[in-house]
Amino acid sequence: MSDRPTLRTVAAQAEVSHQTVSRVVNGDPTVTDGVRARVLEAMRLLDYRPSAGARALASGRTEIVGVVLPHNPDFAFSNDHLIRLMAGADGELAARGYGLLLSTREVPDDAGSAHRRFIRRRVVDGLLVEAGAGGEALSVLRSAGCPLVVMGHTDDDLICVHPDDEGGAYAVAQHLLALGHRRIGVVNGPVENRLAMAARLRGVRRAFADARREFSDELVEYGDFTAESGFRAGGRLMARAEAPTAIFAFNDGMAFGVTRWLREHGRGVPGDVSVAGFDDTSAAELVDPPLTSVSPHSVEVGRSAARILLDLLDGRLPAQRENVMPSTLKVRASTAPPPMPT
């Protein structure tokens, strides 16, 4: 037989009814301070811990938050930014007594499938949704009245948390311009992340404008965040009549692909072409040469999004709808001044 203390054990220790102990456990504000203090002291002495199930039944909550990464599992679990988002969210949720239920995309062309399943089964109190889900999937949640916070950019009237994409890209372009580069190629990202990608392109354009230089749209190519797409985009950029002396890929994966193309075609990095990325993945410091990249502080973005969602569940609204977290440029050996003309 277990010696684990029960609600009635605590009640006997505190000399109150077990109903009063239950009210203290569930935060009933009508309990007087003196009685609350006696019950809490009894709980401490007996090392009593209320079960999560009992708290959930009393509060009408599951104490579970759904985290939706609307990407196929292979991509989701190999992408440092997404993993760090989830880690930050999980840390904050655990600290507040909540569990995490993760879902990735079930069907290749259906970013909203996980959303609909969560709503139908009512298994979560709220959702943290990575912005790649897109507007249609978010509209499903809005119409169902499910509390949610978007991790990333959204043009819907929804609460969101995202890194300073424009400021981070501005810092990269400013860095390359300061090194003396004038023809800077860009590998843009996929349409699913159009708002973040638009912000990064604005940052590049603003850096050129501030330097009183003209940015060339002819030096923009597109990828899908994979190294393979960066490899192909790098080849297209280098096939230009006037090839760039630096290439800024809008994520590290594509930057690694660009670097591979350059090496396989006899170009040195950074001796012939400088390369920079975005996301500051764990591999950025390990590749040769180490990659100049922007840290979006993904863990902090996930943690902040979880904190805002839990505050929403407690009836506290954030000060603003859009919450922007700082980004930091990490300069490494993949960028250097352009080669001297021969």
Side-chain angles (χ1 to χ4, degrees):
M1 186 174 179
S2 172
D3 294 329
R4 180 180 177 180
T6 66
L7 208 69
R8 293 183 184 276
T9 313
V10 174
Q13 176 75 24
E15 299 182 344
V16 297
S17 69
H18 69 274
Q19 292 94 337
T20 298
V21 176
S22 178
R23 288 163 59 203
V24 171
V25 168
N26 293 303
D28 188 334
T30 64
V31 179
T32 64
D33 291 343
V35 170
R36 188 184 309 279
R38 277 165 46 204
V39 171
L40 292 175
E41 176 63 12
M43 291 169 62
R44 187 188 67 79
L45 291 171
L46 295 169
D47 194 25
Y48 173 76
R49 294 180 176 84
S51 73
R55 291 198 309 270
L57 285 172
S59 66
R61 294 183 180 180
T62 65
E63 297 194 334
I64 297 173
V65 164
V67 176
V68 179
L69 304 181
H71 307 277
N72 72 70
D74 287 344
F75 180 80
F77 293 116
S78 63
N79 184 283
D80 266 28
H81 171 63
L82 296 177
I83 291 171
R84 290 172 179 176
L85 278 181
M86 188 171 60
D90 186 44
E92 183 66 23
L93 293 171
R96 300 271 289 267
Y98 275 73
L100 178 153
L101 182 61
L102 174 68
S103 182
T104 55
R105 179 178 291 179
E106 295 175 339
V107 180
D109 296 326
D110 184 8
S113 56
H115 304 68
R116 285 190 284 274
R117 187 176 69 255
F118 280 142
I119 293 170
R120 183 174 65 251
R121 296 179 183 175
R122 301 288 179 183
V123 294
V124 297
D125 294 327
L127 288 174
L128 297 171
V129 186
E130 201 272 330
E136 182 180 352
L138 293 174
S139 295
V140 172
L141 291 177
R142 177 195 287 277
S143 63
C146 181
L148 72 131
V149 173
V150 178
M151 297 184 292
H153 294 259
T154 176
D155 50 9
D156 290 296
D157 186 23
L158 295 169
I159 296 167
C160 66
V161 183
H162 64 77
D164 184 2
D165 291 282
E166 180 175 340
Y170 177 90
V172 172
Q174 188 180 53
H175 165 66
L176 294 173
L177 287 164
L179 288 172
H181 294 279
R182 297 297 176 259
R183 291 186 61 77
I184 299 173
V186 165
V187 183
N188 208 331
V191 66
E192 291 86 353
N193 295 77
R194 61 183 177 83
L195 297 175
M197 298 303 99
R200 293 178 192 181
L201 194 55
R202 281 198 306 273
V204 173
R205 293 184 190 280
R206 182 160 61 89
F208 270 79
D210 287 352
R212 298 183 179 179
R213 298 283 177 179
E214 184 176 351
F215 176 72
S216 174
D217 288 319
E218 294 180 357
L219 289 178
V220 178
E221 284 290 345
Y222 292 84
D224 61 8
F225 284 161
T226 63
E228 291 76 13
S229 70
F231 182 90
R232 294 190 295 269
R236 293 193 297 271
L237 285 170
M238 295 306 295
R240 299 291 200 272
E242 290 186 73
T245 61
I247 298 177
F248 175 22
F250 281 0
N251 86 325
D252 285 1
M254 296 189 297
F256 298 149
V258 168
T259 300
R260 182 164 66 89
W261 189 95
L262 291 168
R263 284 192 162 167
E264 289 186 7
H265 291 80
R267 310 295 178 87
V269 177
D272 296 314
V273 182
S274 288
V275 178
F278 202 109
D279 283 347
D280 191 34
T281 58
S282 55
E285 288 187 291
L286 303 177
V287 294
D288 181 25
L291 180 69
T292 292
S293 187
V294 174
S295 171
H297 301 291
S298 306
V299 171
E300 290 303 317
V301 172
R303 183 177 292 129
S304 179
R307 186 180 305 122
I308 290 171
L309 178 62
L310 294 179
D311 286 347
L312 278 176
L313 295 176
D314 289 336
R316 296 191 296 275
L317 293 173
Q320 60 274 331
R321 182 191 71 80
E322 185 177 19
N323 301 270
V324 183
M325 309 295 287
S327 295
T328 305
L329 174 63
K330 302 291 185 70
V331 176
R332 300 190 178 98
S334 68
T335 51
M340 295 293 291
T342 55

